Amino acid sequence: MADIASRLKAVQEGIERLAELAAPDQADAASRLVQKLKGELDDAIAEASGGPQEPSTSANLPRNPRHVEIRCPICSLRSFTYQKGTMRRSDETESGFEALYHCLSCGHEAWHEA
Ligand SMILES: [Zn+2]
């Protein structure tokens, strides 16, 4: 799909060049047309290159927490371990994310800022 995006970009550059070449008495109409075409091209380029607009909300989640192992609040050993795939959004943490942690020593489980 990447070569489609680069071809569309070439068309986009051509449109910009065309706008520069437009006769002065047609300049307004030409620039309106250029703006319209550029908008359509931007959409097409975004779609062709995979686009930044992934509809899935989980796509924006960080893959790993900042700390995979932290100190357990119960037994205070550094074995409170991040459970893979439990990352979720949270309004109550500073980072905006939390994940489920499981203590390998005492078995304590809790959600913690990730
Ligand atoms: Zn523990």
Side-chain angles (χ1 to χ4, degrees):
M1 295 308 266
D3 66 330
I4 293 177
S6 64
R7 270 152 59 197
L8 289 173
K9 277 207 171 97
V11 174
Q12 189 176 41
E13 282 163 17
I15 290 171
E16 281 165 14
R17 180 98 180 94
L18 186 64
E20 289 165 13
L21 295 172
D25 61 333
Q26 297 290 319
D28 281 354
S31 79
R32 274 197 301 274
L33 181 60
V34 164
Q35 289 311 314
K36 181 174 177 290
L37 290 172
K38 278 175 75 175
E40 284 176 20
L41 267 178
D42 284 345
D43 291 347
I45 289 169
E47 274 173 40
S49 51
Q53 72 281 40
E54 282 278 315
S56 165
T57 51
S58 66
N60 297 325
L61 289 172
R63 190 166 298 182
N64 287 305
R66 281 183 294 182
H67 303 289
V68 173
E69 278 182 345
I70 53 179
R71 196 172 293 279
C72 174
I74 303 300
C75 68
S76 80
L77 289 175
R78 206 173 175 80
S79 54
F80 208 38
T81 309
Y82 163 67
Q83 301 299 291
K84 258 190 178 168
T86 59
M87 185 77 72
R88 69 180 185 187
R89 289 180 188 288
S90 168
D91 294 333
E92 284 151 37
T93 61
E94 211 175 295
S95 67
F97 302 102
E98 63 181 4
L100 191 64
Y101 281 75
H102 175 86
C103 180
L104 299 176
S105 176
C106 73
H108 177 64
E109 262 188 11
W111 291 90
H112 192 279
E113 176 171 4

